[in-house]
Amino acid sequence: MADTQISTTNRYDIAAPRWGDKMRTLGYYDGYLGFLSAPTRLEGRNQRVIDVGSGTGAFAEAWVAIHGPPRELTLLEPSAAMLERGKAALNRRGVEPRTVQALLGQTTDTDPCDVVLAAHVLEHCDDPLTALRDMRDMLVPGGQLRLVVSKPHWCNAIIWLQWRHRTFQRAEILALVQDAGFDVEQVYAFPSGPPSRTSQGIVARRSR
């Protein structure tokens, strides 16, 4: 693992105890609920779902709250402390997630799934196109990607001071998603709070 990746993972380990409460206080959990509630073509609940860079599980929690427990839920996350809290959060909802401690692209320990969730992960990847292709390869043909990424705003300039993440213009992220082998179905604008200033959502399908 590269030194920068180790450093970032260590910082997430330190932040983990307060992360879940912070996500709720800032409105990200409610924002995820709205994004995952947006109408889209979705075939039933009997699905395999993987949350890439799951953190403390807020995106996966929101998925369960909206769609019910999937057939299988995997949390993929390099921080052991984050994984522990994500697992506990899903357990409180009656779900026993499978946990994989690894970086995106550095594990083959996952079966093809129907849905990939990825919230504020891509902006920490050295090569966003490769990361999106890794997500595509996790999906069955026609599988769905629910992606949340950072967008340019002065709020993200403040966040950058701590996390050194990147942001994506709308045209840039749509081009990357399409180049990675997805058909974009929907672009979602978060309606309020910090998510409306920092984030944008995309629903896409694996096309190849």
Side-chain angles (χ1 to χ4, degrees), residues 41-73:
R41 183 167 56 89
L42 188 65
E43 295 84 10
R45 298 182 178 179
N46 189 29
Q47 297 179 322
R48 287 192 175 97
V49 177
I50 182 166
D51 187 355
V52 175
S54 59
T56 54
F59 208 17
E61 265 197 274
W63 176 272
V64 171
I66 297 299
H67 298 286
R71 175 159 53 106
E72 181 181 292
L73 176 60

Side-chain angles (χ1 to χ4, degrees), residues 69-147:
R71 175 159 53 106
E72 181 181 292
L73 176 60
T74 299
L75 305 181
L76 176 66
E77 166 62 45
S79 165
M82 289 280 191
L83 268 182
E84 180 183 350
R85 284 161 177 80
K87 183 177 185 296
L90 271 298
N91 286 166
R92 289 192 291 272
R93 291 188 175 272
V95 177
E96 184 62 46
R98 182 169 170 265
T99 59
V100 178
Q101 186 182 353
L103 288 165
L104 175 65
Q106 294 188 352
T107 180
T108 57
D109 191 23
T110 56
D111 294 325
C113 60
D114 304 289
V115 179
V116 165
L117 307 175
H120 293 295
V121 174
L122 197 65
E123 48 267 64
H124 299 283
C125 298
D126 292 336
D127 186 339
L129 181 57
T130 296
L132 283 165
R133 286 172 175 163
D134 288 337
M135 294 181 202
R136 176 203 65 200
D137 292 344
M138 290 178 169
L139 286 164
V140 299
Q144 186 182 84
L145 170 67
R146 294 289 190 112
L147 179 69

Side-chain angles (χ1 to χ4, degrees), residues 174-189:
L174 292 180
L176 283 168
V177 169
Q178 291 167 340
D179 287 347
F182 291 95
D183 292 325
V184 175
E185 293 187 335
Q186 181 184 7
V187 179
Y188 180 81

